[in-house]
Amino acid sequence: MGALGAGDSVQVTVGFHPLTTGAHFGSMVVCYNTGEERIHTNLQGEAVDVSIGLRTYSVELKKTFITTSSHTAMFIENRSNIRAQFQWKTFPSEEDENEEKRRQCYLLRSPREACVDNTTGERRRAKKKGSCEDRRAILKSSVREKMMMVKEDPMLFSNDAFSLEPLEGEIGPNSSVQIKVTFKPLKAREYRSVAYCNISGRGSRLPLHLRGEGQGPLLEFSCHMLKLGNLFINTSHVYEVKLINQGVLDAPFVYIPSTTNVGCCFKFTPEKGVIEPGGIQTIQISFSATILGVFEEQFHFSVSESPTPVILTIGGCVSGPTLHFDVGELHFGDISFGFPHTMTCRLTNTSPVSVTYKLRMSDDGTQPAVSSIDQICKEGDPSWRKGIHFYVEPREFTMNPSQGTILPQGHQDIEVWKESSHTRFSTRAEASLECGRALALIPALSTV
């Protein structure tokens, strides 16, 4: 605005500061002091992005131990002939930034938030004055100051795990600026964030995607799979593996007890401890199998500040002891009534462990058999005329010894005698193998 004398002229400078790319239109009107509008001038401008950008739009940092930091670099490149300013921002656009500021100011305007934000010193000073009005005035003044700070906040990029340096600066024509990216994880997990670069001469902010992974204490077993091979039931075995700290942090570990039937047969010593960086802890594994069959179990050791446990896999096969007789059958042939007949067989333990056995005759009776002497001594017994009648089946086979323990690769000779009380068909003897809680029955003898 101004005043022009008759025949005078004045030069007016029109500034064009577009916030977005593309065509922009407007108009300029000259008004006289009488309020009359006499001069209309159309304004038109075209906004384009200058050739300034990021060399890369994503940065992935290597896995980093928690509480330590790793660094890398990226560049902002200016391929134009102008000088530009840059700032790293938290929000992707100015609209989002202003929306966040409005939200924070709204919280400050809330009476409850204003009271919360009030400092102890302000409360104390207001109390000394003894005036509610003074107290409210102090609160309002404090809120206004904080709202002003929010409005003036440039909202530069801020993140718990990532940082950029410098956060703002200037780029000369046809040059570049190096940006240092620092990653400092607090927990063992994946981190992702986006920083937005606001560059003068660009219509929109340029996103830089940041990714990193935090690494907790790093423990590894000297072998991931321990193969025990063939084992015999109820035998004790001891093995050793090494737990190695491959990281730069102290590694507290705790064994997580297994709840499976086979897993309960294993004992680990020690079950917990702390391994310093580069240290080695020998883990002793005790195993006493009580279940037959093939197994493959995973054992977990939790590590402090690490989301995944260290796993040791142990596999093997548990077998029972083996016994066999040296003959497939004992054939007694025809035996006179009341006269015992004895035969011998051998029971061999082919296992590398001692075996406790018991022998029994299936389908044999429980009442003692009648010997020939007993029958002769009873001359008047009706059985001489009517024959012998048993209300309970007699026991006709006897084995000696009927139980015992056979050493590894050892044997035991067994005497079997039959005392015929009457005509019988063939029967079978069985050997019971008692090995702790396991009980196996194998056919052994057949007699006639």
Side-chain angles (χ1 to χ4, degrees), residues 118 121-142 144:
N118 184 31
E122 291 171 338
R123 292 174 184 266
R124 187 179 297 113
R125 289 192 298 271
K127 186 175 181 180
K128 287 182 179 180
K129 292 182 178 181
S131 171
C132 294
E133 293 181 359
D134 291 342
R135 186 180 300 111
R136 284 195 295 268
I138 293 174
L139 291 176
K140 289 181 179 179
S141 176
S142 175
R144 281 195 299 269

Side-chain angles (χ1 to χ4, degrees), residues 33 72 91 102 169-170 189 225 233 237 239 258 314 380 382 395 423 427:
N33 56 357
T72 189
F91 294 93
R102 285 191 293 269
E170 188 177 75
R189 65 176 183 85
M225 177 72 178
I233 195 168
H237 303 270
Y239 307 90
S258 175
I314 302 179
R395 183 175 65 250
T423 303
T427 184

Side-chain angles (χ1 to χ4, degrees), residues 125-314:
R125 289 192 298 271
K127 186 175 181 180
K128 287 182 179 180
K129 292 182 178 181
S131 171
C132 294
E133 293 181 359
D134 291 342
R135 186 180 300 111
R136 284 195 295 268
I138 293 174
L139 291 176
K140 289 181 179 179
S141 176
S142 175
V143 169
R144 281 195 299 269
E145 290 178 2
K146 291 181 179 180
M147 290 177 64
M148 186 61 64
M149 293 174 61
V150 169
K151 291 178 181 179
E152 295 176 354
D153 187 358
M155 294 287 183
L156 298 179
F157 177 74
S158 178
N159 186 270
D160 292 337
F162 298 99
S163 61
L164 303 176
E165 186 182 352
L167 280 174
E168 55 185 337
E170 188 177 75
I171 313 174
N174 299 303
S175 62
S176 63
V177 171
Q178 177 177 299
I179 304 297
K180 179 181 178 181
V181 183
T182 301
F183 175 51
K184 188 175 182 178
L186 302 177
K187 295 183 179 180
R189 65 176 183 85
E190 184 183 54
Y191 289 83
R192 291 180 182 270
S193 184
V194 182
Y196 299 91
C197 191
N198 186 30
I199 304 175
S200 59
R202 299 282 309 190
S204 59
R205 298 175 179 180
L206 305 179
L208 176 64
H209 296 269
L210 304 171
R211 181 186 177 278
E213 185 176 352
Q215 171 69 61
L218 182 58
L219 289 183
E220 291 184 356
F221 279 105
S222 54
C223 62
H224 299 291
M225 177 72 178
L226 185 60
K227 297 182 179 179
L228 306 185
N230 292 321
L231 307 170
F232 284 92
I233 195 168
N234 281 341
T235 55
S236 297
H237 303 270
V238 177
Y239 307 90
E240 285 186 352
V241 294
K242 297 185 183 300
L243 194 54
I244 306 170
N245 187 350
Q246 303 281 19
V248 298
L249 305 173
D250 285 344
F253 70 92
V254 177
Y255 168 63
I256 303 174
S258 175
T259 57
T260 65
N261 292 333
V262 175
C264 293
C265 300
F266 286 86
K267 302 296 180 185
F268 293 85
T269 305
E271 292 189 347
K272 61 181 179 180
V274 179
I275 306 176
E276 61 183 12
I280 298 175
Q281 174 67 62
T282 300
I283 304 296
Q284 189 177 80
I285 305 171
S286 302
F287 176 54
S288 181
T290 58
I291 300 175
L292 297 172
V294 178
F295 68 89
E296 184 173 302
E297 293 286 322
Q298 288 187 338
F299 298 93
H300 297 246
F301 288 74
S302 67
V303 184
S304 178
E305 300 297 335
S306 180
T308 56
V310 187
I311 299 176
L312 175 64
T313 303
I314 302 179

